[in-house]
Amino acid sequence: MAPVAEREELRQVVRALLEKEAGHEAVRAAADSSGGWSPDLWQRLNAELEIGRLAVPEGLGGHGYGFAELGVVLEECGAALLPEPVLGSAVLGCQALAAADDPASVADLREPALAGDLVVAVSVGGEEVVADRAADGGWTVSGLRTRVLDGATADVLVIDAAAADGPLLLAVRREDLEVTSRTTIDLTRRQADVRMASVPARLVVGPARFAEVAERLRLVADAAVAAEHAGIVGELLDQVVGHVTQREQFGRPIGSFQAIKHRLADVLVDRERARSASRYAMAALDAGGADAALAVAVASAVCADAVVRTAHETVQLHGGIGFTWEHRAHYYLRRALGDEGLFGGSRGQRARVADLVGV
């Protein structure tokens, strides 16, 4: 996709904030904190950039921009390796609440979520959760859902559940859940197991629209992760180029060696492929239509491969220091491998591409 002046201006604003407030040491400190992310930075992301409102229609309290603009923010957040719940709440949580059958019925959740005052986790798919009618005509939900992104810190969980009339999307308050934090390879993206035992739930989407909304949320999640991965690939290329132009061997920078140049050229190709694929996928989501699913699947496969390859190359090209577990490169490698386990790797996306084109 060709650069757009307004989006590049947005990129510079986001990058300036993150360079000032989200350096690697700040990210490590936030990830190691009890909550796993910085409330101060989260507040600034929402107060100054209003990231949750960006791709939500104006009639629902958003700014009415598209996923192409949101993709700019996600690339920069991926590059900085933010542990804040940008993907889980500002993207998926806000989109789930904005898709409600009756927008007024969840307005008390949607508005604070858009403002960043309420953190929303979303879990669609996975172990079966069952919904039953409550005595007051509402809903209760029971079951176990594992590996919920931001499950331990979210104020509200939006989850799919099986009901007698068909699947539903329901919202459950954090205080009604039994949450067990998980130990994961990626320190910047926490997960939890969530158990529910006939806890009260609020209807977000009913059976009539469930399949449409669930598929849309899946596409948004895949496209958002691809955008983050594209941002990571670009950041890692900059990091490794900076290292090999300064590190000397035999009296010359190691970046001048032909073997290193070829490896860097491969990373550059991966960066351009990832950027093109992810940005096109975001534009396809904005346009709608049947092409969106294919564009997102292609972007997810391309970006997943690119981020894993680039993370491994970054570790290796940093030499002995790059192989230490505490080095910055390993944080990116852990994010790449953690995302592969949480969202699925490129193999599954390539299988989806094959299905979509009838192969």
Side-chain angles (χ1 to χ4, degrees):
M1 299 293 293
V4 176
E6 290 81 1
R7 292 174 195 155
E8 292 308 307
E9 290 174 6
L10 173 62
R11 185 184 306 281
Q12 293 307 315
V13 171
V14 178
R15 184 174 296 175
L17 173 62
L18 297 185
E19 286 178 348
K20 181 179 180 181
E21 304 293 339
H24 180 60
E25 292 306 317
V27 167
R28 288 185 64 162
D32 291 341
S33 68
S34 59
W37 46 274
S38 167
D40 290 338
L41 180 55
W42 176 244
Q43 192 275 333
R44 290 195 65 180
L45 288 169
N46 285 282
E48 298 179 21
L49 302 179
E50 299 191 333
I51 55 176
R53 300 184 189 275
L54 200 59
V56 171
E58 292 180 276
L60 297 176
H63 293 320
Y65 292 100
F67 289 101
E69 287 75 23
L70 191 58
V72 171
V73 176
L74 288 164
E75 283 186 28
E76 296 304 314
C77 290
L81 214 63
L82 288 193
E84 283 69 37
V86 175
L87 172 64
S89 185
V91 178
L92 296 178
C94 291
Q95 290 298 316
L97 294 175
D101 289 343
D102 179 8
S105 69
V106 295
D108 62 318
L109 299 179
R110 186 182 64 251
E111 179 52 36
L114 295 181
D117 297 328
L118 188 81
V119 176
V120 182
V122 177
S123 178
V124 178
E127 301 88 348
E128 184 177 69
V129 173
V130 177
D132 296 299
R133 280 288 186 184
D136 60 1
W139 294 94
T140 63
V141 62
S142 301
L144 171 68
R145 182 62 57 82
T146 61
R147 305 183 68 185
V148 177
L149 178 63
D150 302 321
T153 54
D155 301 299
V156 170
L157 172 64
V158 175
I159 192 168
D160 63 309
D165 295 333
L168 310 171
L169 205 61
L170 301 168
V172 186
R173 287 282 185 177
R174 165 68 176 80
E175 55 266 26
D176 296 321
L177 305 174
E178 180 184 335
V179 178
T180 304
S181 296
R182 276 181 168 251
T183 299
T184 59
I185 189 173
D186 178 13
L187 304 179
T188 66
R189 185 157 270 170
R190 295 195 182 183
Q191 302 171 37
D193 297 341
V194 178
R195 187 178 298 277
M196 296 149 282
S198 297
V199 300
R202 189 185 310 190
L203 181 67
V204 179
V205 176
R209 296 180 59 243
F210 175 82
E212 170 195 344
V213 172
E215 174 64 9
R216 180 70 172 178
L217 289 175
R218 184 188 67 79
L219 291 178
V220 170
D222 287 347
V225 173
E228 286 188 339
H229 288 171
I232 290 173
V233 172
E235 172 64 21
L236 290 181
L237 178 59
D238 291 343
Q239 288 183 27
V240 77
V241 167
H243 176 74
V244 300
T245 53
Q246 295 179 13
R247 179 77 168 88
E248 292 190 355
Q249 192 72 26
F250 307 114
R252 54 189 287 198
I254 62 174
S256 65
F257 298 138
Q258 194 71 13
I260 302 298
K261 290 180 179 180
H262 280 299
R263 294 171 73 170
L264 292 176
D266 289 339
V267 175
L268 176 62
V269 171
D270 268 338
R271 186 193 72 179
E272 295 306 302
R273 292 174 68 236
R275 284 179 175 176
S276 296
S278 68
R279 292 174 187 179
Y280 182 78
M282 287 297 189
L285 278 178
D286 286 332
D291 291 341
L294 180 58
V296 170
V298 170
S300 296
V302 168
C303 294
D305 282 340
V307 75
V308 172
R309 279 196 300 262
T310 303
H312 280 293
E313 284 284 30
T314 302
V315 169
Q316 293 183 29
L317 290 174
H318 273 82
I321 191 173
F323 281 85
T324 60
W325 190 241
E326 294 81 9
H327 191 269
R328 184 180 185 185
H330 265 287
Y331 273 71
Y332 287 91
L333 177 60
R334 284 185 249 179
R335 170 64 71 87
L337 298 178
D339 282 353
E340 191 174 48
L342 183 59
F343 300 104
S346 62
R347 179 178 298 180
Q349 295 292 349
R350 286 196 294 269
R352 184 169 288 121
V353 170
D355 290 340
L356 290 169
V357 299
V359 174

